[in-house]
Amino acid sequence: QVQLVESGGGLVQPGGSLRLSCAASGFTVPYYNIGWFRQAPGKEREGVSCISSSGDSTYVADSVKGRFTISRDNAKNTVYLQMNSLKPEDTGVYYCAADSRPLGPSLSLAVYDYWGQGTQVTVSS
């Protein structure tokens, strides 16, 4: 079965950096579009960034543009989210999700078929 496992979260000071990983397994197609989402306490889940199955098309939310970079290594079945210049408002549980559509990536939660359990990111002094 399809499984997604996030890792790399933790506590970091404002201005610091963190790299999240999403390890995928069990896909029935070679590669899926992958999205990163986050959910802060008391807030709805929001899209952060996404990447196409080939890795040649990406989107980033305005709130993280210029600070976060998404990438993937298909040989390792892993997608990364490099987070720089972190702010307290970046705090939340970060999830990766897989979309099996043969289309470009999207930040809409509705199109994603599979979700990981999430990893906590806390940005605080």
Side-chain angles (χ1 to χ4, degrees):
Q1 60 182 2
V2 173
Q3 292 186 347
L4 301 171
V5 180
E6 303 93 339
S7 62
L11 175 64
V12 64
Q13 298 273 16
S17 297
L18 215 54
R19 189 179 76 159
L20 305 184
S21 298
C22 174
S25 63
F27 288 172
T28 57
V29 297
Y31 310 107
Y32 283 37
N33 299 326
I34 298 292
W36 282 100
F37 301 82
R38 68 186 181 188
Q39 189 164 21
K43 303 291 186 180
E44 294 188 345
R45 193 170 299 183
E46 64 176 347
V48 176
S49 187
C50 54
I51 188 167
S52 64
S53 59
S54 66
D56 64 348
S57 182
T58 63
Y59 297 112
V60 294
D62 288 342
S63 59
V64 304
K65 192 170 296 182
R67 300 187 297 119
F68 290 12
T69 302
I70 192 169
S71 63
R72 68 190 302 158
D73 184 343
N74 286 338
K76 297 181 178 180
N77 296 313
T78 302
V79 174
Y80 305 96
L81 184 67
Q82 179 66 47
M83 306 186 296
N84 299 325
S85 301
L86 284 162
K87 305 174 181 179
E89 51 263 45
D90 294 319
T91 293
V93 178
Y94 283 68
Y95 302 88
C96 66
D99 167 21
S100 62
R101 301 173 307 152
L103 300 170
S106 171
L107 286 179
S108 173
L109 278 70
V111 307
Y112 287 87
D113 303 302
Y114 307 101
W115 293 80
Q117 293 298 305
T119 185
Q120 177 70 43
V121 172
T122 303
V123 185
S124 176
S125 298

